[in-house]
Amino acid sequence: MSVREADKRVLRTPFYSRASELCQTNLWSPWKAYTTVDCYSYVEEEYFAIRNATGVFDLTPMIKYRISGPDGLAYLDKLMTRKMSKLTPGRVMYSAWCNDLGHVLDDGTVFHLEENLWRLCSAERHMDWLQATALGFDVEIEDETDDVVGLAVQGPTSCQTLKAMNLSCVENLKPFQHMSFDFEGTKLMVSRTGFTGDLGYELWVPSEYAEKLWDTLFEAGKAFGILPIGSHALDIVRIEAGFIQAEVDFVPALNVVRAGRGRSPFELGLDWLVHFDKPVFNGRRALLKEKEEGSRYRFVRLDIEGNKPASDSFIYNSKKDIVGHITSATWSPSAKKNIALGSVEMPWGRLGDELYAEIYYNRELKWNRLMARCHVVEGAFFDPPRRRETPPLDY
Amino acid sequence: MSNLYDTIIIGAGHNGLVCANYLAKSGRKVLVLEANEGVGGAAITREFAPEYSVSACAHLLHLLNPKIVSDLALNSHGLKMAAKGLTTLSLSTDGEHLTLDRDSVSGKALLQSDKKVYRDFQNKMRRFARILRKTFMTRPPRLVHKNRKDLMTLASLGLSVRLMGRDDMRELLRIGAINIYDVLQEDFQNEHLKAALGFDAVLGSNLGPRSPNSVLSYLYRLSGQVGENDSAVSQPAGGMGSVTEALKKSAEAAGVEIRTGVAVSRILLDVDKVVGVETSTGENLKSAEVVSNADPKTTFFKLVGARNLETGFSRRVDNIRMQGKAAKLHLALDALPEFTGVSSDQLGNRMIIAPSLTYLEQAFDHSKYGEFSNAPALEITIPSVHDQSLVPAGKHVLSAVVQYAPYDLRTGWESQAEVFKQIAIDKIEEYAPGIKDLISASELLTPVDIESEFKIHGGHWHHGEYTLDQFMMLRPVPGAAQYSTPLSGLFLCGAGSHPGGGVMGLAGKNASAEIINGGKN
Ligand SMILES: Cc1cc2nc3c(=O)[nH]c(=O)nc-3n(C[C@H](O)[C@H](O)[C@H](O)COP(=O)(O)OP(=O)(O)OC[C@H]3O[C@@H](n4cnc5c(N)ncnc54)[C@H](O)[C@@H]3O)c2cc1C
């Protein structure tokens, strides 16, 4: 008995035909409703494509909501912790959103597509919450996850690749701006956004144009070292950039079962996304109180001595008390450092605090334990100037 | 500019007036704004036909808190009873009605055993009602905060539950979880008697006798008839409006300023802090304390606006169940009607039409599907028997609650109110043949009418269904159950708050205590 493609529990994205042709490993993992490539060839090769050339990542499974209506901006201001009034057509904003407890439900980007029309990209599905928040606003919300596909095109030659696609003036796009181009009879939206902390863009088209987009892009990128990349390589670059990921670095508040497991934006290093100088927004009261009374946790970026990745390690203070744990860890080829993201109890995690990660590693079935000294660092581990340069210099 | 008023109260329902009075006594300068032309909310007397007046919504007084009566000296402000300690007659078309009193029941068809069961049942339920009532005198405890006052409230509640003894405690937990139909089925034989008791469990609610929460609803009603409230059901002289007139005079004597015919159109906010109100006439009145006697949905959605509330909270408010199902019928009568088997000196009592639990359940069934009952249940009074001030000499007025008349009638009420009115009158005619010929004028208020006249969302008796999930610290919703709200300076004082609806006054009184206490823990 055969199962129809559309009835499979995990679906193929519209790029499947192309991705599967190029995927040497045939290693795939589910991401939301879709199966996506872990690694096409070698993680290192894909990593260096992002940092030295152009890496292409299939964003289809990213949850996308279409928000429309005259109250859209006011609605987003209520939904988001960040002041959204600067979000004008052509711009994109990254923000977090919270429940009434001030715990983060998710983080994501909002695109102001045109007058009275926005797109929200998030890691999790939130229709129920988005609808509940719409009470009292003239807005309409639709899930367009399956209707729109996206490709992240990231790396120092990404702009050159896009120029080779004849996207005129794409080099003038500043970070967090987007513009649209005619493409094979549809509209191709290009935004200067990404999850890599590098120069990069995201390309969006209706899903029926997926293969066409892929083919055109890869043809144009030939001369610029374009490679498809899987989620493993992406994970390294996003940790280097210091970006948090839902379900990895925090539990989205709607998925929290045990009281207290949620995290506020302050506890995730997202203080800069919380603006109190605007009308009531979800979490406002709780966050004001937290600001006054102090947070429970601190989000830390750690530079760890040695080269053994500190995945899932406990973090200790100098008195050998457990004060937190690592949520993401990797060796950073660009920073040449052993880096990690973590959550520690207050007051720990200040610059200069003496912290240790308890690392277990296995050498031919012999387990070793290491207490590696951690240094709290501020900002991204890798932050090239090209990330912001407009127009970007050719590489 | 400094504020002219320390506190502005939205609504001069009885709870608003009680709250205003205590706040004025605490030294505040209090202004009450009432949308309607007179004070009283759902507790008023008004003319419905030339020279015929009637209690327009609430018509029997059985919950009013005695402490409030004495604190506010309502008797010296004109509150008088036309009749006290009314009994209930559960009517029968064959004239064999039952007479229900506090401890005894009589009726030709009843066996000695029925009477004993009745007494035992009343005693047991009164013990439970007494415990419930204990919680009424103070704000509901917050469960998440370790606050001394709340712990005391919980401890005292826990203690009274413990002091009940093991058997009672087990019994309360058991019956609380089932429904009044099953409870009555266990103890009673007589169908008519069961229905008379079951009727009290569903009056004013969106429940049938087989609905969960009907035991709680029964105990709530009984709570007005325990402790110092023993006198049970009364009829105020001059109708229910005299209660709120006395409250008005008492409030004014305490220095409260009351403006009627002024609706609040908006509560003014500085982000999430109250700064005053805007009236329908466009006036902005400043005040750092605003107390709403309006129901929670009206308060939060119409006056505050969902936009100004965080999503979790506004979703809870949105989910409050408050669909009214009780209609009110008023008849102007040329003479005292005759009810089969009821002597004329009994006509001043409370009369109900509820022949069996099945009858009640079937009446309710219709309402579940957006239809009105074609054989409704009724609570009937003829207040003019005790009080001729309501009518021209020698004439009479009948006031009845008629169930079930769902707020969201599928066909809409416009064309159907008259049909339902005739059904109700026909039903009364079955028990009082000839009454139709005495009717010179009539009026039926559907829940939609009640919503528009009394500004109660859904036209609901209690400003929100009285059920375990909307009870005590869940009433009206967590986050607003201690009279304070997520908006600083905004408080609730109406029937939608603990303890609940009925002309009782405790929501207003408890709210005032919280406000005086700074709305803090
Ligand atoms: C059909 C029916 C029969 C009933 N029978 C009985 C009975 O026999 N015995 C009994 O004890 N109880 C009875 N009740 C219940 C009782 O009437 C109510 O629970 C009680 O009156 C509620 O009092 P309150 O002060 O909390 O609110 P309300 O009486 O509703 O007062 C609220 C006030 O706020 C005002 N208001 C609302 N919005 C605004 C605004 N924007 N601006 C200014 N003012 C505003 C309203 O006009 C109203 O005056 C009955 C209810 C109904 C519907």
Side-chain angles (χ1 to χ4, degrees), chain A residues 71 74 78 99-100 128-129 132-133 135-137 278-285, chain B residues 145 271-272 301 306-316 318 485-488:
Chain A
D71 287 344
K78 155 111 176 246
N99 62 11
D100 294 20
D128 177 52
W129 183 259
T133 303
L135 207 71
F137 293 95
K278 64 168 191 167
V280 169
F281 62 89
N282 292 328
R284 183 180 192 277
R285 255 167 95 85
Chain B
H145 294 242
V271 191
D272 62 359
F301 290 154
R307 284 178 176 220
N308 296 309
L309 300 165
E310 297 188 24
T311 297
F313 184 81
S314 64
R315 179 154 63 177
R316 288 200 289 272
D318 196 38
T485 69
L487 301 155
S488 52

Side-chain angles (χ1 to χ4, degrees), chain B residues 292-401:
Chain B
S292 179
N293 182 198
D295 67 83
K297 283 202 185 179
T298 300
T299 304
F300 289 116
F301 290 154
K302 258 185 77 185
L303 304 182
V304 168
R307 284 178 176 220
N308 296 309
L309 300 165
E310 297 188 24
T311 297
F313 184 81
S314 64
R315 179 154 63 177
R316 288 200 289 272
V317 174
D318 196 38
N319 287 339
I320 296 174
R321 286 170 292 108
M322 52 184 310
Q323 198 204 143
K325 291 207 166 172
K328 192 74 196 300
L329 176 71
H330 303 138
L331 303 178
L333 301 171
D334 287 335
L336 195 59
E338 276 178 34
F339 279 74
T340 310
V342 181
S343 66
S344 61
D345 59 331
Q346 286 178 310
L347 281 175
N349 283 309
R350 172 180 185 249
M351 297 184 281
I352 62 174
I353 295 179
S356 71
L357 286 173
T358 301
Y359 178 99
L360 282 177
E361 191 71 31
Q362 277 167 347
F364 174 62
D365 281 343
H366 285 281
S367 74
K368 290 194 289 200
Y369 308 105
E371 300 156 10
F372 50 69
S373 322
N374 47 31
L378 287 96
E379 177 189 66
I380 301 167
T381 63
I382 308 176
S384 47
V385 169
H386 301 294
D387 190 353
Q388 275 284 309
S389 75
L390 300 168
V391 287
K395 312 277 180 179
H396 283 278
V397 60
L398 181 147
S399 163
V401 177

Side-chain angles (χ1 to χ4, degrees), chain B residues 11 13-15 33-35 41-42 58-60 263-264 293 456 461 463 495 502-503:
Chain B
H14 80 286
N15 276 315
L33 297 173
E34 167 56 51
H59 57 176
L60 288 171
V264 169
N293 182 198
I456 301 172
W461 185 297
H463 287 198
V503 182

Side-chain angles (χ1 to χ4, degrees), chain B residues 112-400:
Chain B
Q112 208 46 47
S113 57
D114 292 325
K115 297 179 181 176
K116 177 171 180 334
V117 168
Y118 180 81
R119 203 166 41 243
D120 293 347
F121 182 77
Q122 286 296 316
N123 279 335
K124 176 173 79 178
M125 296 309 255
R126 279 207 168 76
R127 286 201 299 279
F128 299 155
R130 229 167 262 137
I131 289 165
L132 186 64
R133 189 168 184 280
K134 272 207 172 147
T135 69
F136 288 2
M137 299 300 292
T138 164
R139 77 159 194 220
R142 258 180 250 253
L143 290 182
V144 283
H145 294 242
K146 289 203 180 63
N147 170 274
R148 206 167 146 265
K149 182 171 171 186
D150 292 339
L151 289 175
M152 295 286 282
T153 310
L154 277 176
S156 112
L157 181 61
L159 187 66
S160 26
V161 174
R162 282 303 302 163
L163 288 177
M164 282 198 293
R166 195 187 56 193
D167 291 348
D168 263 3
M169 186 161 78
R170 199 184 280 159
E171 179 65 358
L172 177 60
L173 291 174
R174 189 182 73 84
I175 67 172
I178 56 179
N179 58 63
I180 199 76
Y181 177 92
D182 287 335
V183 171
L184 293 167
Q185 220 56 318
E186 290 172 357
D187 291 344
F188 291 90
Q189 298 295 324
N190 185 287
E191 291 303 322
H192 195 187
L193 180 54
K194 284 185 220 172
L197 293 163
F199 181 80
D200 278 358
V202 300
L203 184 62
S205 75
N206 187 355
L207 307 173
R210 283 178 163 120
S211 305
N213 293 302
S214 46
V215 171
L216 177 69
S217 160
Y218 183 75
L219 292 176
Y220 185 77
R221 188 177 170 86
L222 217 54
S223 73
Q225 296 161 42
V226 295
E228 61 274 41
N229 279 30
D230 248 354
S231 63
V233 184
S234 315
Q235 181 192 318
M240 201 52 88
S242 71
V243 176
T244 42
E245 277 307 315
L247 280 169
K248 176 188 171 197
K249 288 194 187 117
S250 172
E252 282 173 342
V256 174
E257 181 183 334
I258 301 170
R259 285 192 218 163
T260 56
V262 183
V264 169
S265 49
R266 215 150 58 90
I267 291 170
L268 300 172
L269 298 168
D270 173 10
V271 191
D272 62 359
K273 204 172 80 209
V274 163
V275 294
V277 299
E278 182 191 274
T279 68
S280 49
T281 55
E283 200 181 350
N284 281 1
L285 295 164
K286 295 230 170 87
S287 179
E289 251 172 30
V290 171
V291 187
S292 179
N293 182 198
D295 67 83
K297 283 202 185 179
T298 300
T299 304
F300 289 116
F301 290 154
K302 258 185 77 185
L303 304 182
V304 168
R307 284 178 176 220
N308 296 309
L309 300 165
E310 297 188 24
T311 297
F313 184 81
S314 64
R315 179 154 63 177
R316 288 200 289 272
V317 174
D318 196 38
N319 287 339
I320 296 174
R321 286 170 292 108
M322 52 184 310
Q323 198 204 143
K325 291 207 166 172
K328 192 74 196 300
L329 176 71
H330 303 138
L331 303 178
L333 301 171
D334 287 335
L336 195 59
E338 276 178 34
F339 279 74
T340 310
V342 181
S343 66
S344 61
D345 59 331
Q346 286 178 310
L347 281 175
N349 283 309
R350 172 180 185 249
M351 297 184 281
I352 62 174
I353 295 179
S356 71
L357 286 173
T358 301
Y359 178 99
L360 282 177
E361 191 71 31
Q362 277 167 347
F364 174 62
D365 281 343
H366 285 281
S367 74
K368 290 194 289 200
Y369 308 105
E371 300 156 10
F372 50 69
S373 322
N374 47 31
L378 287 96
E379 177 189 66
I380 301 167
T381 63
I382 308 176
S384 47
V385 169
H386 301 294
D387 190 353
Q388 275 284 309
S389 75
L390 300 168
V391 287
K395 312 277 180 179
H396 283 278
V397 60
L398 181 147
S399 163

